[in-house]
Amino acid sequence: MPTTLPVTVEQHVRARLVTADGQGPERSIDVTLRYASGDPLAVQLCFPGSVTVAGTEVTWAFARSLLDEGLRTPAGSGDVHIWPCGRARTVVELHAPEGMAVVQFDTSALRRILERSYDLVPADREDVETAVDHALTALLGPDEGPDRGPGRR
């Protein structure tokens, strides 16, 4: 049975950091949007260290379906909220223990990464079982993943 190697697409965009817990003025920032076919249910926003509290690159991963929904209507719960802001902008609100950030994107940039992701893996074709296996391995480590653990070595 042939296997397909995972493919990752990246898109570098400018966004507007509206607020980071009220600290400092609004400013333009570089963000990398990423989608990996090996993790088909998620998209990632990667922020450079120059805009993070820790001073290191920070990556936020969340459901691709959340981004899709948030382009049309307010969506999200917990740490990530997304909503349209007029016809040309979309707001992504991120909550972490260190604080909160509100980032405004051109909707066309977010739509473009979604379209590219759906070209790689259509919405109804995600291999959920493999995605869950990868997520559990990343969370638990390679020696404790779903096919390992006690008695499964």
Side-chain angles (χ1 to χ4, degrees), residues 5-135:
L5 293 175
V7 175
T8 299
V9 292
E10 287 188 349
Q11 184 176 311
H12 303 281
V13 300
R14 297 289 288 171
R16 188 124 196 103
L17 181 61
V18 176
T19 181
D21 280 347
Q23 304 292 320
E26 292 184 18
R27 64 182 173 145
S28 184
I29 60 172
D30 294 312
V31 179
T32 301
L33 308 174
R34 184 179 298 141
Y35 177 79
S37 63
D39 188 8
L41 300 174
V43 292
Q44 298 177 353
L45 302 179
C46 306
F47 297 92
S50 61
V51 301
T52 67
V53 173
T56 59
E57 182 178 279
V58 171
T59 299
W60 282 78
F62 52 89
R64 177 171 71 164
S65 60
L66 173 61
L67 179 58
D68 196 353
E69 182 181 355
L71 292 177
R72 296 183 311 275
T73 186
S77 61
D79 296 340
V80 180
H81 299 262
I82 303 171
W83 65 89
C85 181
R87 294 176 46 170
R89 302 252 188 256
T90 299
V91 173
V92 177
E93 183 177 285
L94 305 165
H95 294 263
E98 300 81 14
M100 184 260 303
V102 175
V103 186
Q104 200 174 67
F105 291 89
D106 285 340
T107 300
S108 61
L110 298 176
R111 203 176 309 277
R112 192 166 37 254
I113 195 72
L114 267 179
E115 288 169 359
R116 294 173 72 193
S117 77
Y118 289 134
D119 286 344
L120 283 175
V121 181
D124 58 348
R125 297 291 177 106
E126 296 105 338
D127 181 354
V128 176
E129 184 176 323
T130 299
V132 170
D133 285 349
H134 286 301

